[in-house]
């Protein structure tokens, strides 16, 4: 199964478009400029969503290459085949965490302000959002294919941006940091449960389509 995880990680990094990466850097800089010291939170959310999307996009390359036919000939069972993908998502959290820390560090240095609550919220978003994103989308991949997962991803964008826009235009990110602590444990437990249940559903879908 290590080989499957390695394959997924290679697809993840090879799938990163350099032009989109430069665009993301520019967008991050604009966010830090417009939002201020709390820009690290928004930048972390954007990066975490991108990590989740990139993990799902790797499936498209598999489908185009007919990877499943080759994978079915490998000495791995259905659970191992799917778990390899889910483990690779956990590995990419390191990228999300590193990016979140960097964004908040830049915001703290530029605006000469260190807000522990903002850092904590950013790090939590960097971990939970990719897990929640892939937890929602991957079952669609294994049951219906990449196109269905792509549609699911588009639908997920709407509530995410609606929530961010609400705090940006309304009470502000200070209120977001203050209120998030109340729901912290619920969000963490809920995301872990979602990810585990998603794995079970994906394994069932893989067996069904096999």
């Amino acid at each position: 199964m290590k080989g499957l995880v390695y394959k997924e990680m290679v697809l993840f990094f090879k799938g990163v478009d350099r032009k989109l990466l430069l665009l993301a850097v520019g967008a991050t800089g604009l966010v830090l400029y417009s939002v201020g010291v709390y820009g690290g939170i928004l930048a972390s959310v954007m990066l975490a969503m991108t990590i989740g999307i990139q993990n799902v996009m790797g499936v498209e390359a598999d489908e185009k290459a007919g990877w499943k036919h080759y994978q079915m000939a490998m000495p791995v069972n259905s659970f191992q085949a799917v778990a390899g993908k889910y483990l690779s998502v956990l590995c990419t959290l390191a990228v999300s965490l590193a990016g979140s820390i960097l964004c908040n560090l830049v915001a703290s240095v530029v605006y000469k302000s260190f807000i522990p609550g903002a850092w904590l919220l950013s790090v939590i978003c960097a971990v939970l959002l990719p897990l929640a994103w892939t937890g929602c989308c991957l079952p669609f991949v294994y049951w219906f294919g990449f196109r269905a997962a792509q549609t699911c991803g588009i639908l997920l964008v709407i509530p995410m941006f609606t929530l961010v826009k609400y705090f940006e235009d309304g009470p502000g990110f200070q209120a977001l940091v203050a209120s998030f602590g109340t729901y912290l444990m619920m969000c963490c437990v809920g995301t872990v449960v979602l990810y585990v249940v998603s794995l079970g559903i994906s394994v069932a879908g893989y067996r069904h389509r096999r």
Side-chain angles (χ1 to χ4, degrees):
M1 195 164 65
K2 291 180 180 179
L4 293 176
V5 175
Y6 176 76
K7 187 270 293 184
E8 295 292 345
M9 294 301 295
V10 170
L11 282 178
F12 176 84
F13 287 107
K14 286 187 68 175
V16 177
D17 191 303
R18 293 181 180 179
K19 293 180 181 178
L20 289 178
L21 185 61
L22 290 174
L23 182 62
V25 172
T28 301
L30 181 61
V31 165
L32 293 175
Y33 173 77
S34 59
V35 180
V37 69
Y38 289 97
I41 298 175
L42 188 53
S44 296
V45 169
M46 292 170 57
L47 176 61
M49 290 174 60
T50 303
I51 296 294
I53 293 170
Q54 189 64 31
N55 276 303
V56 176
M57 289 294 290
V59 181
E60 184 181 21
D62 284 345
E63 290 188 356
K64 288 181 178 179
W67 166 255
K68 187 174 181 179
H69 297 290
Y70 176 75
Q71 185 170 278
M72 290 173 64
M74 297 174 64
V76 293
N77 56 37
S78 299
F79 176 79
Q80 291 173 321
V82 177
K85 178 66 176 180
Y86 277 74
L87 285 175
S88 71
V89 174
L90 296 179
C91 293
T92 60
L93 294 182
V95 180
S96 187
L97 278 171
S100 175
I101 292 172
L102 179 61
C103 290
N104 280 278
L105 182 61
V106 171
S108 295
V109 171
V110 171
Y111 294 99
K112 299 178 181 179
S113 178
F114 176 76
I115 303 175
W119 278 69
L120 177 61
L121 178 57
S122 298
V123 168
I124 291 172
C125 288
V127 174
L128 296 188
L129 284 180
L131 294 181
W133 192 281
T134 51
C136 291
C137 292
L138 287 181
F140 286 91
V141 168
Y142 290 104
W143 276 93
F144 308 110
F146 170 73
R147 295 302 174 190
Q150 193 176 38
T151 302
C152 175
I154 293 173
L155 295 176
L156 286 175
V157 170
I158 299 173
M160 285 297 306
F161 275 102
T162 300
L163 181 63
V164 171
K165 194 66 176 174
Y166 166 75
F167 280 99
E168 184 179 4
D169 295 340
F173 287 100
Q174 291 176 322
L176 176 61
V177 173
S179 62
F180 186 77
T182 308
Y183 307 100
L184 175 59
M185 185 58 66
M186 183 175 65
C187 290
C188 292
V189 174
T191 302
V192 172
V193 171
L194 169 66
Y195 201 68
V196 173
V197 172
S198 172
L199 173 59
I201 296 174
S202 295
V203 171
Y206 182 89
R207 289 171 179 168
H208 174 74
R209 296 187 72 193
R210 190 169 181 174

